[in-house]
Amino acid sequence: MMGVEMKIRVEHKSLVDFKCDLLAVNVFEGEKKLDGAAAAADRALGGLVSRLVRSGEITGKLGETTLFHLGAGRAKKVVIVGLGKRDKFDLEAVRTAASAVIKKAREVRAKIVASIVHGASCGCLDQRDSAKALVEGSVLGVYKFPGYAKEKETPDFQIRELVLIDSDAKKIKPFSAGAKLGLIIAEAENHARDLVNEPSNKMTPTAFAKLAQHIAKINGLKFVSLDPKREGMEALWAVAKGSSEPPRLVALEYRGNPRSKEKIALIGKGITFDSGGISLKSPKRMDEMKSDMAGAAAVLGTMSLLADLKPKKNVIGVIPLTENMPSGHATKPGDVVGSLSGYTIEVTNTDAEGRMILADAITYAKKRGATKLIDVATLTGGCITALGDAATGIMGNDQALLDRIIEVGNRCGQRLWQLPIYDEYKNALKSAIADIKNTSGTGKASPSSGASFLAKFVGETPWAHLDIAGTAFLDKARGYLPEGATGVPVRTLIEFLVS
Ligand code: BES
Ligand code: ZN
Ligand code: ZN
């Protein structure tokens, strides 16, 4: 595993004076008049840019890039990136444009890349936020899982530096603050992506727990790694017992406000591989089930940022870790098992394992004094059916908490859409022989049904459940999101904790 080693710098300089391999300037869609930086590039190119804008060859569509070689001047090449329509322009557009630029830079093997800060240069967006979004889009956009291939089609290329430049000295301070924040958040998100992209034979529960311990250590977080069976986590053990890989439950605690009794628990589903168990999944795309620990990766990524960002809150990250495998030792459909809460569970479907391990993790978080619960899980295929990869499903028992998460998610480009928890779904989980069953068996409304199961273990504690089944792992790259793991919802969680 490897992070992106691209340095970020902010410099007070005029565009024409900056020596670089590639300089990025921008145009808005449908606007013939060029902004300051694009106009300067146009002059250096003898009016070529404005001619192409007038002829419609440069449209300004969001993420469109047009590359020019400069004969003279300090920049070797210049790229004109489209920002889309001005009235739709926002921080998410900045991320998308920045990602298009950095991909172009990699393609043309530019070592030193300079960019004006889209959004701040036109005065449309907050200066600090624009610089943060630009760095996020660049660092997230350039991400590539290194993988294990010995033979590579294209040799790796490392962009050495991204420099944000502006000739206005007053902008340097907000740019630097935004760039610094954007870099650490995006790097944590990329790290979460790495963990999810890692195959399940490498990212075992044991390997994940070791990594969590390392992250806790370097950040000074209190850490425990528990054996679920010994702790009476019978629901988690019911999932784990079919596998040869030993399960774990790890907790990392950050105390930013020691005098307060408030404690937010972030709970991440950590199924390192979900075969379905005895209720075996079909082979089609089963390989993608290595990503069933994306919730765990996002929680660990978020916890890794707290020592740096120092929010005045107490936060505990709780991560239940196991494989879900069929074997002679595995839990069978119809089995009744206990749980840390004391409730008994009839396991009607062993593929509904996420809610089992989360049930014990939720109870554990409450025992550790959590006053607010946020769980993150690739919980249901039904959430993909409902929302695709356009939004994370959010459910819970505290509307103010849900509204707040939806609002911060929207602000940082990670959309969430609320789904209901009606009594009908809870009633459908009534079991004839246990306190609850883990599926309704109807196949209906599975995201809401899954949340209804969790609600039993949550009780009255304010709680939000994020179903990231559709948003955590993509089959096709989009904007600054790569194919494979996306790192969702690290940015939302961190924004929630720091704002
Ligand atoms: N990990 C899956 C959900 C999932 C599916 C995530 C596809 C990402 C992509 C989860 O454990 C699962 O299998 N859920 C079942 C629940 C059902 C048995 C009620 C599902 O969605 O089919
Ligand atoms: Zn499953
Ligand atoms: Zn699963």
Side-chain angles (χ1 to χ4, degrees), residues 269 274 281 289 292 349 351 353 378-381 384 439 469:
K269 171 177 173 182
D274 183 10
K281 287 183 179 299
M289 282 301 112
D292 213 17
N349 189 323
D351 197 11
E353 83 299 336
T378 45
L379 205 74
T380 63
I384 313 178
T439 67

Side-chain angles (χ1 to χ4, degrees), residues 94-104 134 137-138 140-141 479-481:
V94 174
R95 287 185 199 97
T96 306
S99 141
V101 165
I102 213 75
K103 285 179 184 167
K104 195 49 138 185
L134 181 121
S138 307
L140 293 167
Y480 60 88
L481 301 174

Side-chain angles (χ1 to χ4, degrees), residues 195-200 203 208 239 268-277 281 286-298 319-324 350-355 357-358 376-381 384 467-470 472-473 485:
L195 305 192
V196 178
N197 285 325
E198 201 65 53
S200 77
M203 192 45 63
F208 194 111
V239 176
K269 171 177 173 182
I271 296 287
T272 58
F273 187 75
D274 183 10
S275 71
K281 287 183 179 299
M286 202 205 270
D287 55 302
E288 288 183 4
M289 282 301 112
K290 68 175 183 178
S291 69
D292 213 17
M293 35 58 76
I319 305 177
L321 294 157
T322 178
E323 286 187 336
N324 183 26
T350 65
D351 197 11
E353 83 299 336
R355 59 198 75 181
I357 71 168
L358 289 174
V376 188
T378 45
L379 205 74
T380 63
I384 313 178
D467 193 332
I468 56 168
F473 201 84

Side-chain angles (χ1 to χ4, degrees), residues 2-4 106 139-147 152 154-157 190 193-194 197 482:
M2 183 177 82
V4 181
R106 181 163 58 197
V139 175
L140 293 167
V142 82
Y143 172 83
K144 212 163 178 260
F145 182 61
K152 301 218 164 145
T154 43
D156 287 335
F157 176 76
N190 279 345
R193 290 172 170 182
D194 272 344
N197 285 325

Side-chain angles (χ1 to χ4, degrees), residues 64-274:
E64 173 197 73
T65 53
T66 315
L67 185 76
F68 298 92
H69 291 244
L70 289 175
R74 308 282 286 170
K76 287 192 191 137
K77 297 188 182 82
V78 68
V79 61
I80 315 280
V81 64
L83 297 184
K85 295 235 166 70
R86 199 182 280 263
D87 58 357
K88 285 211 171 137
F89 183 63
D90 59 6
L91 293 171
E92 186 65 352
V94 174
R95 287 185 199 97
T96 306
S99 141
V101 165
I102 213 75
K103 285 179 184 167
K104 195 49 138 185
R106 181 163 58 197
E107 191 186 311
V108 302
R109 303 177 89 73
K111 281 213 164 80
I112 311 285
V113 183
S115 181
I116 60 161
V117 179
H118 317 302
S121 57
C122 58
C124 321
L125 302 170
D126 177 78
Q127 295 175 1
R128 177 177 164 280
D129 291 350
S130 315
K132 175 170 175 274
L134 181 121
V135 171
E136 284 171 350
S138 307
V139 175
L140 293 167
V142 82
Y143 172 83
K144 212 163 178 260
F145 182 61
Y148 293 92
K150 291 274 196 293
E151 285 181 334
K152 301 218 164 145
E153 269 175 35
T154 43
D156 287 335
F157 176 76
Q158 190 73 59
I159 296 168
R160 214 183 301 147
E161 206 170 42
L162 171 66
V163 190
L164 281 47
I165 44 174
D166 205 291
S167 54
D168 179 357
K170 286 199 292 295
K171 289 186 185 157
I172 299 307
K173 218 173 149 190
F175 280 3
S176 301
K180 189 171 164 224
L181 193 59
L183 177 64
I184 57 175
I185 294 175
E187 279 186 335
E189 200 151 306
N190 279 345
H191 190 236
R193 290 172 170 182
D194 272 344
L195 305 192
V196 178
N197 285 325
E198 201 65 53
S200 77
N201 61 328
K202 315 242 179 226
M203 192 45 63
T204 59
T206 309
F208 194 111
K210 277 205 184 118
L211 196 73
Q213 180 169 27
H214 173 70
I215 285 176
K217 193 167 170 211
I218 58 178
N219 287 290
L221 308 177
K222 192 171 155 196
F223 179 80
V224 288
S225 174
L226 305 172
D227 171 355
K229 195 177 176 196
R230 273 188 41 191
E231 302 291 326
M233 298 173 177
E234 292 180 36
L236 170 43
W237 174 243
V239 176
K241 74 204 251 288
S243 166
S244 328
E245 288 292 341
R248 243 30 232 171
L249 181 133
V250 299
L252 307 84
E253 190 162 359
Y254 164 83
R255 294 189 66 82
N257 189 359
R259 274 184 303 187
S260 162
K261 283 215 156 50
E262 290 291 308
K263 192 188 279 190
I264 301 168
L266 304 179
I267 302 167
K269 171 177 173 182
I271 296 287
T272 58
F273 187 75
D274 183 10

